[in-house]
Every structure is written in structure tokens, then in C-alpha cells.
mmCIF file of all heavy atoms in Angstrom:
data_model
loop_
_atom_site.group_PDB
_atom_site.id
_atom_site.type_symbol
_atom_site.label_atom_id
_atom_site.label_comp_id
_atom_site.label_asym_id
_atom_site.label_seq_id
_atom_site.Cartn_x
_atom_site.Cartn_y
_atom_site.Cartn_z
ATOM 1 N N SER A 76 -11.238 -5.998 -0.856
ATOM 2 C CA SER A 76 -10.714 -4.682 -1.361
ATOM 3 C C SER A 76 -9.779 -4.865 -2.566
ATOM 4 O O SER A 76 -9.840 -4.066 -3.515
ATOM 5 C CB SER A 76 -10.040 -3.914 -0.192
ATOM 6 O OG SER A 76 -9.581 -2.727 -0.585
ATOM 7 N N VAL A 77 -8.900 -5.860 -2.462
ATOM 8 C CA VAL A 77 -7.962 -6.138 -3.594
ATOM 9 C C VAL A 77 -8.748 -6.463 -4.870
ATOM 10 O O VAL A 77 -8.427 -5.933 -5.960
ATOM 11 C CB VAL A 77 -6.979 -7.209 -3.235
ATOM 12 C CG1 VAL A 77 -6.142 -7.602 -4.429
ATOM 13 C CG2 VAL A 77 -6.063 -6.771 -2.145
ATOM 14 N N ASN A 78 -9.789 -7.365 -4.745
ATOM 15 C CA ASN A 78 -10.543 -7.777 -5.909
ATOM 16 C C ASN A 78 -11.308 -6.602 -6.493
ATOM 17 O O ASN A 78 -11.428 -6.506 -7.706
ATOM 18 C CB ASN A 78 -11.517 -8.875 -5.538
ATOM 19 C CG ASN A 78 -10.727 -10.159 -5.221
ATOM 20 O OD1 ASN A 78 -9.633 -10.433 -5.746
ATOM 21 N ND2 ASN A 78 -11.300 -11.013 -4.373
ATOM 22 N N GLU A 79 -11.836 -5.754 -5.672
ATOM 23 C CA GLU A 79 -12.649 -4.618 -6.153
ATOM 24 C C GLU A 79 -11.809 -3.480 -6.729
ATOM 25 O O GLU A 79 -12.311 -2.642 -7.496
ATOM 26 C CB GLU A 79 -13.488 -4.060 -5.011
ATOM 27 C CG GLU A 79 -14.585 -5.008 -4.498
ATOM 28 C CD GLU A 79 -15.285 -4.538 -3.275
ATOM 29 O OE1 GLU A 79 -14.837 -3.459 -2.743
ATOM 30 O OE2 GLU A 79 -16.216 -5.244 -2.811
ATOM 31 N N ARG A 80 -10.542 -3.428 -6.339
ATOM 32 C CA ARG A 80 -9.709 -2.350 -6.759
ATOM 33 C C ARG A 80 -8.570 -2.730 -7.748
ATOM 34 O O ARG A 80 -7.521 -2.124 -7.825
ATOM 35 C CB ARG A 80 -9.076 -1.668 -5.489
ATOM 36 C CG ARG A 80 -10.095 -1.115 -4.569
ATOM 37 C CD ARG A 80 -9.530 -0.816 -3.218
ATOM 38 N NE ARG A 80 -8.460 0.124 -3.184
ATOM 39 C CZ ARG A 80 -7.723 0.401 -2.099
ATOM 40 N NH1 ARG A 80 -7.979 -0.284 -0.955
ATOM 41 N NH2 ARG A 80 -6.706 1.221 -2.174
ATOM 42 N N ARG A 81 -8.817 -3.799 -8.502
ATOM 43 C CA ARG A 81 -7.773 -4.241 -9.423
ATOM 44 C C ARG A 81 -7.478 -3.209 -10.454
ATOM 45 O O ARG A 81 -6.320 -2.995 -10.841
ATOM 46 C CB ARG A 81 -8.245 -5.586 -10.122
ATOM 47 C CG ARG A 81 -8.250 -6.756 -9.107
ATOM 48 C CD ARG A 81 -8.806 -8.005 -9.866
ATOM 49 N NE ARG A 81 -7.917 -8.408 -11.002
ATOM 50 C CZ ARG A 81 -6.843 -9.187 -10.830
ATOM 51 N NH1 ARG A 81 -6.481 -9.638 -9.659
ATOM 52 N NH2 ARG A 81 -6.175 -9.435 -11.907
ATOM 53 N N LYS A 82 -8.550 -2.546 -10.983
ATOM 54 C CA LYS A 82 -8.316 -1.453 -11.920
ATOM 55 C C LYS A 82 -7.462 -0.308 -11.344
ATOM 56 O O LYS A 82 -6.564 0.199 -11.981
ATOM 57 C CB LYS A 82 -9.647 -0.870 -12.387
ATOM 58 C CG LYS A 82 -9.505 0.231 -13.430
ATOM 59 C CD LYS A 82 -10.907 0.655 -13.929
ATOM 60 C CE LYS A 82 -10.698 1.856 -14.979
ATOM 61 N NZ LYS A 82 -12.005 2.342 -15.424
ATOM 62 N N GLU A 83 -7.796 0.041 -10.057
ATOM 63 C CA GLU A 83 -7.021 1.105 -9.424
ATOM 64 C C GLU A 83 -5.569 0.709 -9.261
ATOM 65 O O GLU A 83 -4.673 1.511 -9.485
ATOM 66 C CB GLU A 83 -7.610 1.342 -8.088
ATOM 67 C CG GLU A 83 -6.882 2.410 -7.243
ATOM 68 C CD GLU A 83 -7.502 2.595 -5.872
ATOM 69 O OE1 GLU A 83 -8.642 2.232 -5.659
ATOM 70 O OE2 GLU A 83 -6.708 3.080 -5.000
ATOM 71 N N ILE A 84 -5.334 -0.619 -8.978
ATOM 72 C CA ILE A 84 -3.960 -1.120 -8.801
ATOM 73 C C ILE A 84 -3.277 -1.027 -10.164
ATOM 74 O O ILE A 84 -2.049 -0.659 -10.227
ATOM 75 C CB ILE A 84 -3.955 -2.549 -8.220
ATOM 76 C CG1 ILE A 84 -4.536 -2.546 -6.829
ATOM 77 C CG2 ILE A 84 -2.579 -3.091 -8.285
ATOM 78 C CD1 ILE A 84 -4.816 -3.880 -6.273
ATOM 79 N N GLY A 85 -3.986 -1.457 -11.249
ATOM 80 C CA GLY A 85 -3.407 -1.369 -12.557
ATOM 81 C C GLY A 85 -3.009 0.003 -12.938
ATOM 82 O O GLY A 85 -1.999 0.220 -13.572
ATOM 83 N N ILE A 86 -3.894 1.000 -12.729
ATOM 84 C CA ILE A 86 -3.588 2.360 -13.054
ATOM 85 C C ILE A 86 -2.358 2.833 -12.256
ATOM 86 O O ILE A 86 -1.477 3.525 -12.838
ATOM 87 C CB ILE A 86 -4.816 3.263 -12.781
ATOM 88 C CG1 ILE A 86 -5.990 2.836 -13.696
ATOM 89 C CG2 ILE A 86 -4.452 4.710 -12.924
ATOM 90 C CD1 ILE A 86 -7.262 3.573 -13.406
ATOM 91 N N LEU A 87 -2.316 2.562 -10.967
ATOM 92 C CA LEU A 87 -1.159 2.997 -10.142
ATOM 93 C C LEU A 87 0.121 2.415 -10.691
ATOM 94 O O LEU A 87 1.144 3.112 -10.695
ATOM 95 C CB LEU A 87 -1.350 2.645 -8.679
ATOM 96 C CG LEU A 87 -2.477 3.360 -7.924
ATOM 97 C CD1 LEU A 87 -2.678 2.792 -6.564
ATOM 98 C CD2 LEU A 87 -2.055 4.864 -7.791
ATOM 99 N N LYS A 88 0.057 1.144 -11.091
ATOM 100 C CA LYS A 88 1.340 0.502 -11.580
ATOM 101 C C LYS A 88 1.711 1.076 -12.901
ATOM 102 O O LYS A 88 2.925 1.274 -13.193
ATOM 103 C CB LYS A 88 1.150 -0.987 -11.686
ATOM 104 C CG LYS A 88 1.227 -1.720 -10.363
ATOM 105 C CD LYS A 88 1.449 -3.198 -10.564
ATOM 106 C CE LYS A 88 1.851 -3.809 -9.287
ATOM 107 N NZ LYS A 88 2.205 -5.287 -9.440
ATOM 108 N N SER A 89 0.691 1.440 -13.762
ATOM 109 C CA SER A 89 1.013 1.996 -15.035
ATOM 110 C C SER A 89 1.565 3.387 -14.951
ATOM 111 O O SER A 89 2.261 3.907 -15.825
ATOM 112 C CB SER A 89 -0.261 2.025 -15.941
ATOM 113 O OG SER A 89 -1.250 2.929 -15.389
ATOM 114 N N LEU A 90 1.300 4.057 -13.772
ATOM 115 C CA LEU A 90 1.815 5.441 -13.552
ATOM 116 C C LEU A 90 3.185 5.377 -12.867
ATOM 117 O O LEU A 90 3.695 6.409 -12.530
ATOM 118 C CB LEU A 90 0.837 6.165 -12.657
ATOM 119 C CG LEU A 90 -0.590 6.527 -13.357
ATOM 120 C CD1 LEU A 90 -1.435 7.180 -12.370
ATOM 121 C CD2 LEU A 90 -0.294 7.426 -14.607
ATOM 122 N N GLY A 91 3.628 4.127 -12.603
ATOM 123 C CA GLY A 91 4.994 4.063 -12.062
ATOM 124 C C GLY A 91 5.154 3.496 -10.655
ATOM 125 O O GLY A 91 6.245 3.392 -10.128
ATOM 126 N N ALA A 92 4.041 3.197 -10.011
ATOM 127 C CA ALA A 92 4.047 2.642 -8.674
ATOM 128 C C ALA A 92 4.606 1.226 -8.709
ATOM 129 O O ALA A 92 4.238 0.406 -9.556
ATOM 130 C CB ALA A 92 2.640 2.625 -8.057
ATOM 131 N N ASP A 93 5.560 0.912 -7.833
ATOM 132 C CA ASP A 93 6.140 -0.438 -7.855
ATOM 133 C C ASP A 93 5.400 -1.301 -6.835
ATOM 134 O O ASP A 93 4.445 -0.894 -6.199
ATOM 135 C CB ASP A 93 7.661 -0.372 -7.524
ATOM 136 C CG ASP A 93 7.959 0.329 -6.200
ATOM 137 O OD1 ASP A 93 6.979 0.459 -5.392
ATOM 138 O OD2 ASP A 93 9.094 0.808 -5.967
ATOM 139 N N GLU A 94 5.871 -2.545 -6.743
ATOM 140 C CA GLU A 94 5.158 -3.515 -5.894
ATOM 141 C C GLU A 94 5.263 -3.075 -4.414
ATOM 142 O O GLU A 94 4.319 -3.283 -3.602
ATOM 143 C CB GLU A 94 5.804 -4.901 -6.132
ATOM 144 C CG GLU A 94 5.464 -5.584 -7.407
ATOM 145 C CD GLU A 94 5.930 -7.006 -7.434
ATOM 146 O OE1 GLU A 94 6.609 -7.465 -6.457
ATOM 147 O OE2 GLU A 94 5.716 -7.651 -8.528
ATOM 148 N N ARG A 95 6.369 -2.549 -4.004
ATOM 149 C CA ARG A 95 6.566 -2.111 -2.637
ATOM 150 C C ARG A 95 5.560 -1.042 -2.193
ATOM 151 O O ARG A 95 4.992 -1.078 -1.121
ATOM 152 C CB ARG A 95 7.996 -1.571 -2.386
ATOM 153 C CG ARG A 95 8.284 -1.180 -0.939
ATOM 154 C CD ARG A 95 9.713 -0.642 -0.847
ATOM 155 N NE ARG A 95 9.890 0.527 -1.659
ATOM 156 C CZ ARG A 95 9.479 1.823 -1.286
ATOM 157 N NH1 ARG A 95 8.918 1.996 -0.147
ATOM 158 N NH2 ARG A 95 9.672 2.773 -2.056
ATOM 159 N N GLU A 96 5.289 -0.094 -3.110
ATOM 160 C CA GLU A 96 4.290 0.958 -2.829
ATOM 161 C C GLU A 96 2.851 0.378 -2.774
ATOM 162 O O GLU A 96 2.087 0.801 -1.914
ATOM 163 C CB GLU A 96 4.419 2.052 -3.856
ATOM 164 C CG GLU A 96 5.714 2.868 -3.716
ATOM 165 C CD GLU A 96 5.900 3.852 -4.836
ATOM 166 O OE1 GLU A 96 5.509 3.556 -6.045
ATOM 167 O OE2 GLU A 96 6.460 5.012 -4.594
ATOM 168 N N ILE A 97 2.568 -0.560 -3.694
ATOM 169 C CA ILE A 97 1.258 -1.166 -3.672
ATOM 170 C C ILE A 97 1.031 -1.907 -2.309
ATOM 171 O O ILE A 97 0.018 -1.854 -1.704
ATOM 172 C CB ILE A 97 1.020 -2.043 -4.879
ATOM 173 C CG1 ILE A 97 1.142 -1.173 -6.188
ATOM 174 C CG2 ILE A 97 -0.318 -2.738 -4.803
ATOM 175 C CD1 ILE A 97 0.103 -0.137 -6.308
ATOM 176 N N ARG A 98 2.083 -2.690 -1.977
ATOM 177 C CA ARG A 98 2.016 -3.456 -0.763
ATOM 178 C C ARG A 98 1.814 -2.520 0.477
ATOM 179 O O ARG A 98 1.056 -2.745 1.338
ATOM 180 C CB ARG A 98 3.240 -4.308 -0.632
ATOM 181 C CG ARG A 98 3.152 -5.296 0.626
ATOM 182 C CD ARG A 98 4.445 -6.050 0.838
ATOM 183 N NE ARG A 98 4.663 -6.924 -0.271
ATOM 184 C CZ ARG A 98 5.640 -6.788 -1.184
ATOM 185 N NH1 ARG A 98 6.409 -5.722 -1.115
ATOM 186 N NH2 ARG A 98 5.840 -7.607 -2.175
ATOM 187 N N SER A 99 2.615 -1.421 0.484
ATOM 188 C CA SER A 99 2.540 -0.496 1.584
ATOM 189 C C SER A 99 1.086 0.135 1.674
ATOM 190 O O SER A 99 0.637 0.416 2.739
ATOM 191 C CB SER A 99 3.549 0.622 1.369
ATOM 192 O OG SER A 99 4.875 0.032 1.404
ATOM 193 N N LEU A 100 0.509 0.415 0.497
ATOM 194 C CA LEU A 100 -0.830 1.001 0.498
ATOM 195 C C LEU A 100 -1.836 0.179 1.250
ATOM 196 O O LEU A 100 -2.617 0.703 2.073
ATOM 197 C CB LEU A 100 -1.248 1.190 -1.014
ATOM 198 C CG LEU A 100 -2.677 1.801 -1.210
ATOM 199 C CD1 LEU A 100 -2.803 3.223 -0.651
ATOM 200 C CD2 LEU A 100 -3.067 1.803 -2.672
ATOM 201 N N PHE A 101 -1.857 -1.099 0.947
ATOM 202 C CA PHE A 101 -2.786 -1.956 1.650
ATOM 203 C C PHE A 101 -2.406 -2.268 3.126
ATOM 204 O O PHE A 101 -3.269 -2.480 4.017
ATOM 205 C CB PHE A 101 -2.946 -3.317 0.880
ATOM 206 C CG PHE A 101 -3.775 -3.144 -0.352
ATOM 207 C CD1 PHE A 101 -3.241 -2.746 -1.616
ATOM 208 C CD2 PHE A 101 -5.128 -3.281 -0.378
ATOM 209 C CE1 PHE A 101 -3.929 -2.596 -2.782
ATOM 210 C CE2 PHE A 101 -5.894 -3.120 -1.501
ATOM 211 C CZ PHE A 101 -5.283 -2.785 -2.667
ATOM 212 N N LEU A 102 -1.112 -2.340 3.407
ATOM 213 C CA LEU A 102 -0.671 -2.478 4.777
ATOM 214 C C LEU A 102 -1.058 -1.278 5.636
ATOM 215 O O LEU A 102 -1.425 -1.442 6.789
ATOM 216 C CB LEU A 102 0.846 -2.725 4.805
ATOM 217 C CG LEU A 102 1.351 -4.076 4.391
ATOM 218 C CD1 LEU A 102 2.872 -4.162 4.417
ATOM 219 C CD2 LEU A 102 0.800 -5.207 5.317
ATOM 220 N N VAL A 103 -0.934 -0.036 5.062
ATOM 221 C CA VAL A 103 -1.375 1.109 5.807
ATOM 222 C C VAL A 103 -2.879 1.061 6.052
ATOM 223 O O VAL A 103 -3.325 1.445 7.187
ATOM 224 C CB VAL A 103 -1.013 2.370 4.975
ATOM 225 C CG1 VAL A 103 -1.680 3.580 5.605
ATOM 226 C CG2 VAL A 103 0.496 2.557 4.936
ATOM 227 N N GLU A 104 -3.623 0.567 5.070
ATOM 228 C CA GLU A 104 -5.027 0.479 5.335
ATOM 229 C C GLU A 104 -5.403 -0.511 6.442
ATOM 230 O O GLU A 104 -6.218 -0.189 7.287
ATOM 231 C CB GLU A 104 -5.716 -0.033 4.014
ATOM 232 C CG GLU A 104 -7.218 0.017 4.020
ATOM 233 C CD GLU A 104 -7.809 -0.222 2.672
ATOM 234 O OE1 GLU A 104 -7.194 0.226 1.728
ATOM 235 O OE2 GLU A 104 -8.899 -0.813 2.607
ATOM 236 N N SER A 105 -4.800 -1.643 6.435
ATOM 237 C CA SER A 105 -5.013 -2.655 7.562
ATOM 238 C C SER A 105 -4.438 -2.086 8.871
ATOM 239 O O SER A 105 -5.026 -2.346 9.961
ATOM 240 C CB SER A 105 -4.298 -3.998 7.199
ATOM 241 O OG SER A 105 -2.917 -3.848 7.053
ATOM 242 N N GLY A 106 -3.316 -1.311 8.815
ATOM 243 C CA GLY A 106 -2.752 -0.730 9.999
ATOM 244 C C GLY A 106 -3.673 0.282 10.621
ATOM 245 O O GLY A 106 -3.867 0.438 11.819
ATOM 246 N N VAL A 107 -4.364 1.130 9.759
ATOM 247 C CA VAL A 107 -5.324 2.110 10.234
ATOM 248 C C VAL A 107 -6.523 1.469 10.905
ATOM 249 O O VAL A 107 -6.979 1.847 11.979
ATOM 250 C CB VAL A 107 -5.806 3.007 9.098
ATOM 251 C CG1 VAL A 107 -6.976 3.803 9.546
ATOM 252 C CG2 VAL A 107 -4.703 3.880 8.565
ATOM 253 N N ILE A 108 -6.993 0.293 10.350
ATOM 254 C CA ILE A 108 -8.045 -0.439 10.992
ATOM 255 C C ILE A 108 -7.592 -0.935 12.343
ATOM 256 O O ILE A 108 -8.303 -0.901 13.354
ATOM 257 C CB ILE A 108 -8.437 -1.675 10.058
ATOM 258 C CG1 ILE A 108 -9.118 -1.150 8.787
ATOM 259 C CG2 ILE A 108 -9.415 -2.600 10.792
ATOM 260 C CD1 ILE A 108 -9.460 -2.249 7.844
ATOM 261 N N GLY A 109 -6.376 -1.390 12.443
ATOM 262 C CA GLY A 109 -5.813 -1.866 13.735
ATOM 263 C C GLY A 109 -5.673 -0.781 14.713
ATOM 264 O O GLY A 109 -6.061 -0.993 15.964
ATOM 265 N N ILE A 110 -5.195 0.414 14.342
ATOM 266 C CA ILE A 110 -5.047 1.513 15.241
ATOM 267 C C ILE A 110 -6.436 2.007 15.749
ATOM 268 O O ILE A 110 -6.619 2.183 16.976
ATOM 269 C CB ILE A 110 -4.315 2.691 14.581
ATOM 270 C CG1 ILE A 110 -2.811 2.231 14.327
ATOM 271 C CG2 ILE A 110 -4.338 3.923 15.444
ATOM 272 C CD1 ILE A 110 -2.032 3.264 13.529
ATOM 273 N N LEU A 111 -7.395 2.225 14.829
ATOM 274 C CA LEU A 111 -8.730 2.666 15.204
ATOM 275 C C LEU A 111 -9.411 1.651 16.127
ATOM 276 O O LEU A 111 -9.966 2.018 17.109
ATOM 277 C CB LEU A 111 -9.550 2.940 14.023
ATOM 278 C CG LEU A 111 -9.090 4.082 13.101
ATOM 279 C CD1 LEU A 111 -9.935 4.179 11.826
ATOM 280 C CD2 LEU A 111 -9.044 5.411 13.856
ATOM 281 N N GLY A 112 -9.330 0.357 15.708
ATOM 282 C CA GLY A 112 -10.017 -0.685 16.511
ATOM 283 C C GLY A 112 -9.337 -0.814 17.879
ATOM 284 O O GLY A 112 -10.007 -1.018 18.869
#
């Protein structure tokens, strides 16, 4: 997902998203997988 969404990550960072928010975005995604599973 990280490799496929590098452009999306670049756009989010150019719009002002910091590293903490990017990290949280992917952690929430893995957390949702954990909750559903």
C-alpha cells in the first residue's frame, strides 16, 4: 500500500500533512484490519 500510494503521500505532505499524520493514517488502516479480523 505504501509503494502504491507514494504519490498520494506526496500530495498530502505538500498540502501540509506532517509525518505523524501520515504514520497515523497507515496505523489506522492496519488497526481497522485488526478490529474487523
